[in-house]
Amino acid sequence: MSYSTKQQQAILQGLEHHGETPVSASELADELRQDGCQVSLATVYRQLEKLAETGQIHRVAADNATLYRPCPAQKAQSCLLLRCSACGRTEHLEYPQIQSFYQQLEEEHGFRTDPCQTVLTGLCARCAGQEAAGHGSV
């Protein structure tokens, strides 16, 4: 049986404060300490691991670091993140059709996905628009 600690709640609240912007464990630990929560970096990593295992947060691999953000779906098997390679913003996407793709990957290729770590990288609408506008000027 899983239970929530005060530290876990503080970490979740810290992540929720950042919204769609993933944050590193060290940034989160620093912010928690600034807010008066006595927590070590090792404890933050341990709690983030537990929260990821229960599907409450997403892990986002980015530029030689692992970043974290809340998972609004709470362990839904039909979610993934969209990450903008230009601005770093992530968007949580619940997409029920992806579950059949995950299942097909497992059946045909023996590859089991973890929806809380599945990230598609590309350009968000804002950055794509800026890129398109930049191509128009000579």
Side-chain angles (χ1 to χ4, degrees):
M1 175 184 249
S2 176
Y3 63 94
S4 181
T5 65
K6 287 181 183 181
Q7 289 173 334
Q8 275 184 349
Q9 289 305 311
I11 288 168
L12 277 172
Q13 289 172 356
L15 290 172
E16 288 167 359
H17 172 75
H18 286 274
E20 294 181 343
T21 305
V23 63
S24 72
S26 60
E27 290 173 312
L28 187 57
D30 289 344
E31 290 173 7
L32 291 170
R33 285 191 291 263
Q34 287 175 3
D35 290 342
C37 181
Q38 299 301 315
V39 64
S40 70
L41 182 56
T43 298
V44 170
Y45 274 113
R46 215 171 18 257
Q47 295 300 326
L48 287 169
E49 184 63 28
K50 288 178 182 178
L51 291 167
E53 286 173 4
T54 61
Q56 296 178 70
I57 63 172
H58 284 279
R59 288 187 195 111
V60 182
D63 303 328
N64 300 321
T66 301
L67 306 176
Y68 304 88
R69 65 157 283 170
C71 177
Q74 298 290 310
K75 196 59 173 181
Q77 295 301 308
S78 59
C79 67
L80 61 121
L81 290 179
L82 305 176
R83 182 176 185 273
C84 181
S85 57
C87 69
R89 182 178 161 270
T90 63
E91 181 178 336
H92 185 270
L93 179 66
E94 289 188 53
Y95 188 67
Q97 297 86 342
I98 196 86
Q99 191 171 12
S100 63
F101 176 66
Y102 291 157
Q103 186 176 358
Q104 182 180 6
L105 283 175
E106 187 168 359
E107 290 171 0
E108 294 180 17
H109 303 281
F111 187 83
R112 186 179 304 159
T113 59
D114 179 353
C116 284
Q117 292 191 63
T118 303
V119 180
L120 296 179
T121 303
L123 291 176
C124 69
R126 184 180 66 218
C127 292
Q130 290 173 352
E131 184 177 87
H135 288 312
S137 60
V138 176

